[in-house]
Amino acid sequence: MDREILKSGLIEYGYELSENEEDSFETFSRLLVEWNEKMNLTAVTEAKEISIKHFLDSIVPVFSFDIKENSKIIDVGTGAGFPGVPIKIIRPDLDFTFLDSLNKRINFLKEVSSNLNFEKSEFVHMRAEDAGKDKKFRGKYDYAVSRAVAPLKVLSEYCIPLLKIGGTFAAFKAFDIEEELNDAKSMIGNLGGKIKDIKEVKIPHSDIVRKIVLIEKIKETQKEFPRKANKIK
């Protein structure tokens, strides 16, 4: 990673990186590049790009809305740990679940966690639609985050069932999302959710404008949701 890009970018967010946090990002970056040589984790491997497209982008939720201390949060379809690991480095108080359908990614994240001495973290190899039906995960979280590439209508069905009533789903989106929002609104309502806000943040050192769609869960999700993956898609 590029330390100066990361540090100056975080200063633009109003946050000064500690030496320990900086070292954690460096370690994560090193492990990401090393493991990426033997398994496909990311197409972004250049130092500057890692700092911008993975780290500064992933931590946008921390600076765009209030995430209460010691909350339970789940990263759905975390992949190589985005946005969850960068958020966890900045907010170690959060009780994090990293959920992914590929076990090799979960094994990578366990290695990251071990190197970064993460506490209050669990790593779950499971499909999101199965987690949404499982009593251990359904309705248990204050926040769900997802940077997965999928339409909001699909992501909402994966994420909203995991939230407590009053919980918030933060979906990472970009560009013009008006059509996607309109397409998702009725399903969000069916799932017990309501679009609360859309935060727009320019990612430092780039021309990327990140949009975070905030969806509040206002009532219980009906038992039929989430459906099987083929139905959702």
Side-chain angles (χ1 to χ4, degrees):
M1 74 170 196
D2 187 316
R3 285 179 178 249
E4 291 311 310
I5 290 279
L6 182 62
K7 283 161 70 176
S8 61
L10 275 161
I11 285 167
E12 284 190 42
Y13 288 151
Y15 187 85
E16 194 163 340
L17 203 62
S18 73
E19 194 173 326
N20 188 49
E21 289 166 343
E22 195 177 326
D23 289 344
S24 292
F25 277 110
E26 184 72 70
T27 299
F28 181 31
S29 177
R30 175 179 57 78
L31 288 168
L32 181 69
V33 172
E34 281 176 10
W35 279 62
N36 199 58
E37 289 174 3
K38 52 189 176 182
M39 58 186 268
N40 182 28
L41 287 169
T42 177
V44 177
T45 54
E46 197 264 316
K48 180 182 175 183
E49 296 292 285
I50 286 173
S51 291
I52 296 169
K53 292 183 178 177
H54 280 332
F55 296 167
L56 290 173
D57 184 30
S58 287
I59 53 186
V60 164
V62 176
F63 306 109
S64 56
F65 69 100
D66 179 38
I67 301 176
K68 293 184 174 61
E69 207 168 328
N70 298 311
S71 296
K72 277 180 71 72
I73 182 167
I74 185 166
D75 181 2
V76 177
T78 183
F82 302 112
V85 172
I87 293 174
K88 179 69 177 171
I89 291 171
I90 296 285
R91 289 289 305 273
D93 62 286
L94 297 174
D95 188 343
F96 243 105
T97 298
F98 297 85
L99 180 76
D100 200 84
S101 61
L102 276 185
N103 202 38
K104 61 183 182 179
R105 292 182 190 144
I106 292 298
N107 288 334
F108 165 68
L109 292 174
K110 285 177 179 175
E111 178 71 12
V112 170
S113 175
S114 174
N115 276 265
L116 301 186
N117 300 313
F118 278 171
E119 296 177 353
K120 297 202 300 184
S121 300
E122 70 171 334
F123 303 89
V124 180
H125 172 223
M126 188 181 281
R127 298 183 68 88
E129 65 272 22
D130 294 332
K133 292 281 194 183
D134 191 315
K135 287 180 181 176
K136 185 182 175 190
F137 306 106
R138 185 181 177 94
K140 300 298 185 195
Y141 294 91
D142 302 296
Y143 302 94
V145 291
S146 185
R147 207 176 73 147
V149 181
L152 185 61
K153 187 176 183 178
V154 171
L155 284 179
S156 295
E157 189 163 350
Y158 287 144
C159 294
I160 293 173
L162 297 164
L163 293 171
K164 300 173 181 175
I165 292 177
T168 299
F169 167 38
F172 281 64
K173 289 291 165 187
F175 313 115
D176 181 16
I177 56 168
E178 204 59 45
E179 191 177 326
E180 198 173 335
L181 284 173
N182 287 334
D183 188 47
K185 267 178 186 168
S186 65
M187 175 54 76
I188 289 169
N190 290 340
L191 293 162
K194 180 184 179 184
I195 296 171
K196 185 166 65 172
D197 204 353
I198 299 166
K199 302 291 185 180
E200 198 170 287
V201 178
K202 184 185 176 296
I203 308 301
H205 304 292
S206 79
D207 56 2
I208 301 165
V209 176
R210 173 59 74 193
K211 292 180 179 179
I212 304 288
V213 181
L214 298 177
I215 297 168
E216 183 180 5
K217 184 169 180 176
I218 55 174
K219 61 183 179 184
E220 289 290 357
T221 302
Q222 297 172 46
K223 285 182 182 177
E224 70 194 85
F225 299 113
R227 297 164 295 168
K228 293 291 182 188
N230 61 337
K231 285 275 189 187
I232 294 173
K233 287 172 182 172

